[in-house]
Amino acid sequence: MSFKDIMNIISVIAIPFVIFTFLIYGFAKKVKVYESFVEGAKEGFNVAVRIIPYLVAMLVAIGIFRASGAMDVLVAILSPITNLIGFPAEALPMALMRPLSGSGSLGIMTEIMKTYGPDSFLGILVSTMYGSTETTFYVLAVYFGSVNIRKTRHAVIAGVISDLTGLLTAFFICKLVFG
Amino acid sequence: MMNYIWLALIIIGIITAVGTDIYESSVNKYRNNVEFNALIELKEKPSAETQVKGILKVSGEYYKNFYALKNFNQDTIKNEITLRLKSETAGTVILSISETTPDFWKLMAKGKGTNTDKLIANVVKLEEVNENTYKASLIFERVSLVKIKQVLNAVIEYADIAVKIAIGLIGIMALWLGVMKIGELAGLINLLAKVVKPLTKRLFPDIPPEHPAVGAIIMNISANMLGLGNAATPLGLKAMEELQKLNPKKDTASDSMVTFLVINTSGMTLIPATAIAVRAALGSGDPAAIISTTIVGGFAATVAGVTAAKILQRLKVFKKEIEENGENKKELEQ
């Protein structure tokens, strides 16, 4: 069994296992399981609704940026710089889109792999980049929005530093292993 | 910080859109008021006040030169049309947009904003060449301000997506909050916090050990590692709720919140499920080849992010924001 198979099995059974354990353990500890579940679950709606203004603000700004074609302009400006370290210009839209939009970066990844093949260097690179970091601005809006945090302090800078490191490491490790 | 980035995204977007539209109208990208010459094959003889279906034919070469396209390799273009004659030689041609329609016409149709399934052209000249075959000079309807229209559409579309995402969270959110409540009352979350204390003590020094926040944080991180996005978000939001209880200044992020957020924005995962699935769907010989490189990338992102958060939180600019609280509180009390 490969690492992937083992991980697949674990990720399939993890959620049922956790829920089962919680229920049985709770029951054993004489917790009124049904009543407590409902008590906790009723907050679900409020949390989701609290996120809405934050998510609308964030996604609309990202939507304007994406639809305007500003990404192409940014790629043209940045590609001479990224060329210096040998970073392929074709993968630059991926690097720029990843922190902003999950669906956008998924689209770019799919498009690049369709054009150049999933096993080409570019294909490997963009799929590694996709997995190496998350949609920072979306996570930021949802997580802080859920508790009404408006002043995010150093979260954006730290998040962008993390994205940059993840994307660059993805490039160097792919070059080392597959380049 | 967020204020600047938010504003920058919007302003850069709008300036780019306006700039692009001004440039495109200066070179007349969509050839407004320029005659387009094509052959039209009709199914029957047209007469005034009737509609006749037919096919518009033009060589790829002509099309490419007419719109000054860079990449266009089609030999001939055939597109379904409807001809509506008002008199012998004047009328309109309605070009229906379908799968086989060249991309540039699709773009033009989309750029109009309304009736995006057809392009309408005025017939300037109509000469019979053969039986039911005509040479036509057409002027397409005006297409302009395409980018600005796209930006406007995006605003509406994304506002809608935002609400749909939030609404979509309700069910799974309720499920996990319910499960977590049981775990909390049973003391399971505290037990979990106790087990991972040596690790979380360093990462989140301002959370009291064995606080339920720690349990939620660990469950969120575990779900992320296993690629269980559906469970990770509700557990993460539960952790944020617990962290907010400890936060003295309710509208400002605490140090622990930022550290926790950065762990979530970096992709520390053991199984990049989405990327593997897409690779497999596109016929990769080894879809899982990226697991090792992704683990390295995600790990580096997490270490860098957490380190950055820990260093930045000591800077005066960011420290000030949480310390101001004490003074405000005093003012309020007075």
Side-chain angles (χ1 to χ4, degrees), chain A residues 58-75:
Chain A
M58 186 64 82
L59 290 194
V60 164
I62 290 168
I64 291 174
F65 185 81
R66 277 184 65 185
S68 71
M71 193 63 87
D72 303 331
V73 180
L74 221 56
V75 168

Side-chain angles (χ1 to χ4, degrees), chain A residues 24-104:
Chain A
I24 297 299
Y25 189 86
F27 186 71
K29 288 271 169 181
K30 300 202 168 59
V31 173
K32 289 181 177 134
V33 281
Y34 176 74
E35 285 164 38
S36 323
F37 180 90
V38 176
E39 180 65 28
K42 75 176 182 200
E43 258 304 290
F45 182 80
N46 293 333
V47 173
V49 171
R50 256 201 314 267
I51 297 170
I52 292 178
Y54 297 86
L55 213 48
V56 169
M58 186 64 82
L59 290 194
V60 164
I62 290 168
I64 291 174
F65 185 81
R66 277 184 65 185
S68 71
M71 193 63 87
D72 303 331
V73 180
L74 221 56
V75 168
I77 296 171
L78 287 177
S79 58
I81 304 166
T82 49
N83 274 344
L84 295 178
I85 57 163
F87 189 88
E90 294 89 338
L92 201 52
M94 180 66 188
L96 294 172
M97 186 63 85
R98 188 70 193 102
L100 291 177
S101 164
S103 60

